[in-house]
Amino acid sequence: MANHDLESPLISSQLSDSPHLILSVPDSDFSIQQSNNNHHNPSPNPNTSSRNPFEFLGSDGLSVPAPSTLDPFKNDTPYIEGLYELIKIVICLPIAIARLVLFGVCLATGYVATKIALKGWKDMHNPMPKWRSRLMWVTRGCARCILFSFGYHWIKRKGKLAPREIAPIVVSNHVSYIDPIFYFFEFFPTIVAAESHDSMPFVGTIIRAMQVIYVNRFFPSSRKHAVNEVKRKASCDKFPRVLLFPEGTTTNGKVLISFQLGAFIPGYAIQPIIVRYPHVHFDQSWGNISLGMLMFKMFTQFHNFMEVEYLPVVSPLDNCKENPAHFAKRTSHTIASALNVVQTYHSYGDVMLLMKASESKQEKPSSYMVEMAKVESLFHVSSLEAVDFLDKFLSMNPDASGRVKFHDFLRALRVRTCTLSEELFGFLDVEKKGSITFKQFLYGSAHVLKQPLFRQACELAFTECDTGGHGLISEQELGDMIRLAIPNLDEDEIHELFNVFDTDGDGIVSKDSFISCLRRNPLLIALFAPCLVHKDSSQGGYRILEVV
């Protein structure tokens, strides 16, 4: 989320004759004073002040979209409930045992056939030789038997798979782990998968035979390499066609979440494919249900329904020069229309937030989803950074509804009740309910990070604190600056705030540590506002000054 316009240092170590940068800020009473009564009043009204504490950065206020009522990852039947289900399981238990045996035999047979096909093959960078590909037919047959063992006795198909030379890349919605098993049997594609799949027993060996393209979604270099591999393999007719699940994770099939762009950057024609799992009593989607429970419920069904539809090929516009984002949007609209579902801005980042909230035993984990694709687009905040913000929010002890009250907010930020802390909380509490949600906390923090003067303000704040000019800040120096914003702080409170910046506990804070801390806790930049602005008596306003 680096802003390349702000990479050059704001503070020069050499004196300069260049003019100073001065930004006018609307007039307001910036003086943050606190009475002795505030120190003893733990329950102020944080909504009494509507002043924006980040005006000095150029902020014009915070806007937070309403929370989404859709949960793309919810399985409707995660547990065994009802008399019908219990009776069905009892009746199907003998069948389930036979299916489990068939599953094991097929998996072992396919694994052995794959090991033979891969034995002695070192040049996996090039297409698999034909005799090795023929051996993989054994594994593909085993894959169909595995589908049979899971209750997919027949699979309804609609449309036809286009020739490879017309559409070398296929994309599909992703509902269950059954999807890739079917596609493996159907046309033995090359797939894009997470690096962690390689270490999975049996599965890792089989996907290596598919000449898998590994990707680590959190590293740009890995994503770039994966896109180059997709383009290279799609351009060569000797490779299998490339299959991607652009949603990046499984959903319940009731919505279509945002698409990753890896399939659309190469600029080749794409054939969309959709899968449906019609059901009444058993939702087969891999959502908030364990893999073991999902397999058990599949084994104890009389029959599981699956439908596959091959949609018309979607080609890039403008002689293959269409913008990848627009190409992805057209393709996702085609799939959503065929499925008759709505599209949302959820992404794999929301799955990460959902899992983090579940691990923390939150009563409503789904309330912590924020439609990460929209957040990334608006603020350039990555999923990993959003998870870090969630860690911070969870440390504020949210209640059962997922909301944080004022006193818990102060405790996590290590600040006392004062005018500034009320303004900070009021800035986030856009609904003026006296409590904030994670979405409000994330949007507020990301909003401050995005302000064009945030980086300059961080560097200026460090320079102002570093009164000795040694490139390091002591606890005393930090306390002197913070007391300009919150007067009458005692030594213990200063020490608590200093520990937020002094992550290595060595008693001093370097410039890099200082700026990194403010990036992790962007709301704290408001503590340094008094040393970043000065009163313009001639105009009655305030100005942020670039100081050398």
Side-chain angles (χ1 to χ4, degrees):
M1 56 184 282
N3 188 332
H4 298 290
D5 295 334
L6 305 179
E7 286 295 324
S8 56
L10 179 66
I11 309 302
S12 173
S13 58
Q14 303 293 329
L15 291 177
S16 172
D17 295 329
S18 58
H20 299 302
L21 170 68
I22 298 178
L23 174 70
S24 294
V25 178
D27 189 11
S28 61
D29 181 14
F30 187 81
S31 178
I32 305 173
Q33 297 297 330
Q34 169 186 331
S35 68
N36 291 332
N37 290 335
N38 279 345
H39 180 62
H40 301 289
N41 181 8
S43 302
N45 182 0
N47 299 321
T48 55
S49 174
S50 60
R51 195 186 75 85
N52 181 355
F54 302 104
E55 269 186 325
F56 71 101
L57 294 178
S59 167
D60 57 358
L62 177 64
S63 174
V64 182
S68 173
T69 57
L70 297 174
D71 183 354
F73 314 109
K74 181 183 178 182
N75 183 293
D76 288 335
T77 59
Y79 309 108
I80 299 171
E81 297 176 345
L83 182 61
Y84 171 79
E85 282 296 307
L86 291 174
I87 293 174
K88 181 173 60 178
I89 288 174
V90 171
I91 294 175
C92 289
L93 272 178
I95 301 174
I97 295 173
R99 287 175 171 178
L100 181 60
V101 171
L102 176 61
F103 169 77
V105 170
C106 292
L107 185 61
T109 303
Y111 174 74
V112 171
T114 304
K115 289 289 285 185
I116 295 173
L118 293 177
K119 187 175 178 60
W121 185 35
K122 304 297 183 183
D123 188 18
M124 293 190 178
H125 187 72
N126 291 317
M128 177 180 278
K130 287 186 177 180
W131 71 270
R132 296 181 186 273
S133 296
R134 292 192 184 101
L135 270 176
M136 289 304 299
W137 271 104
V138 176
T139 308
R140 293 173 67 178
C142 291
R144 183 61 186 94
C145 292
I146 288 174
L147 292 174
F148 187 89
S149 72
F150 280 124
Y152 299 96
H153 307 130
W154 63 86
I155 297 172
K156 183 178 178 181
R157 295 173 177 81
K158 183 179 179 180
K160 292 184 178 181
L161 184 65
R164 189 199 184 285
E165 56 270 18
I166 295 178
I169 298 176
V170 295
V171 298
S172 171
N173 63 318
H174 199 7
V175 179
S176 174
Y177 65 87
I178 294 298
D179 310 343
I181 298 176
F182 170 79
Y183 290 131
F184 174 80
F185 159 71
E186 187 80 343
F187 52 86
F188 189 50
T190 289
I191 63 172
V192 178
E195 294 175 345
S196 58
H197 286 65
D198 187 68
S199 59
M200 296 176 64
F202 298 102
V203 175
T205 299
I206 293 174
I207 65 174
R208 279 197 295 275
M210 301 170 71
Q211 297 193 265
V212 62
I213 300 170
Y214 291 115
V215 62
N216 186 324
R217 70 180 84 214
F218 303 116
F219 289 92
S221 59
S222 178
R223 296 198 301 267
K224 182 177 181 180
H225 172 74
V227 169
N228 290 335
E229 280 296 285
V230 169
K231 186 173 184 178
R232 183 179 74 89
K233 293 186 176 182
S235 64
C236 178
D237 290 337
K238 293 184 179 180
F239 281 106
R241 70 187 76 222
V242 182
L243 165 68
L244 296 100
F245 298 105
E247 292 174 290
T249 186
T250 55
T251 70
N252 56 18
K254 296 180 179 180
V255 301
L256 196 70
I257 65 175
S258 60
F259 275 15
Q260 303 296 312
L261 301 183
F264 309 94
I265 293 175
Y268 291 104
I270 288 175
Q271 181 170 28
I273 309 175
I274 59 175
V275 293
R276 303 183 185 91
Y277 294 89
H279 67 277
V280 176
H281 301 285
F282 167 44
D283 183 354
Q284 300 153 64
S285 66
W286 194 4
N288 56 324
I289 181 173
S290 67
L291 178 59
M293 175 60 75
L294 189 59
M295 293 178 65
F296 174 76
K297 295 184 76 173
M298 283 184 177
F299 283 140
T300 53
Q301 298 294 313
F302 296 116
H303 174 75
N304 289 312
F305 292 89
M306 180 180 184
E307 298 176 356
V308 179
E309 182 176 355
Y310 297 94
L311 301 179
V313 173
V314 180
S315 299
L317 305 176
D318 301 327
N319 295 322
C320 301
K321 294 181 180 179
E322 182 180 12
N323 179 277
H326 188 263
F327 189 13
K329 185 177 181 180
R330 287 197 302 118
T331 307
S332 65
H333 179 72
T334 298
I335 293 177
S337 299
L339 288 169
N340 194 26
V341 298
V342 299
Q343 297 176 258
T344 72
Y345 287 100
H346 292 89
S347 72
Y348 181 74
D350 290 286
V351 177
M352 295 172 64
L353 296 173
L354 185 66
M355 293 173 61
K356 182 70 177 179
S358 298
E359 291 169 1
S360 302
K361 308 299 182 184
Q362 298 300 305
E363 291 189 20
K364 298 180 179 179
S366 60
S367 66
Y368 291 89
M369 293 189 294
V370 296
E371 296 190 272
M372 268 305 300
K374 181 180 289 186
V375 174
E376 291 177 358
S377 174
L378 289 174
F379 305 112
H380 307 292
V381 172
S382 70
S383 298
L384 290 176
E385 289 169 322
V387 171
D388 289 339
F389 282 119
L390 179 55
D391 270 327
K392 187 74 174 179
F393 185 82
L394 293 176
S395 72
M396 300 177 187
N397 191 32
D399 59 23
S401 65
R403 304 186 74 94
V404 165
K405 295 182 172 59
F406 181 58
H407 64 277
D408 290 316
F409 173 78
L410 295 187
R411 179 175 50 81
L413 259 64
R414 318 256 182 114
V415 296
R416 65 157 63 170
T417 300
C418 62
T419 303
L420 176 60
S421 60
E422 291 179 12
E423 291 171 350
L424 288 176
F425 192 82
F427 175 77
L428 300 177
D429 184 15
V430 294
E431 299 173 333
K432 305 307 175 188
K433 291 185 175 180
S435 60
I436 60 173
T437 64
F438 170 65
K439 189 170 187 177
Q440 292 167 351
F441 177 71
L442 177 63
Y443 265 70
S445 300
H447 171 83
V448 175
L449 275 173
K450 189 187 177 185
Q451 296 309 305
L453 291 177
F454 179 78
R455 176 77 184 190
Q456 289 98 322
C458 292
E459 293 182 347
L460 278 171
F462 181 84
T463 301
E464 289 294 292
C465 291
D466 181 22
T467 54
H470 303 300
L472 297 169
I473 297 175
S474 67
E475 184 171 330
Q476 180 65 42
E477 290 172 326
L478 185 70
D480 290 342
M481 286 300 158
I482 292 178
R483 284 192 177 100
L484 296 177
I486 309 178
N488 304 322
L489 284 180
D490 59 38
E491 296 301 322
D492 289 337
E493 290 170 323
I494 292 295
H495 183 69
E496 282 292 310
L497 276 169
F498 183 76
N499 286 338
V500 175
F501 291 87
D502 184 21
T503 53
D504 56 7
D506 61 356
I508 53 176
V509 178
S510 66
K511 183 176 181 179
D512 288 342
S513 297
F514 184 84
I515 294 177
S516 295
C517 177
L518 287 177
R519 290 185 67 81
R520 294 191 305 271
N521 304 276
L523 301 179
L524 294 183
I525 189 62
L527 295 175
F528 304 96
C531 70
L532 299 179
V533 300
H534 75 284
K535 181 78 174 181
D536 187 336
S537 57
S538 63
Q539 296 183 7
Y542 291 89
R543 298 175 184 268
I544 183 169
L545 201 57
E546 179 177 325
V547 184
V548 176

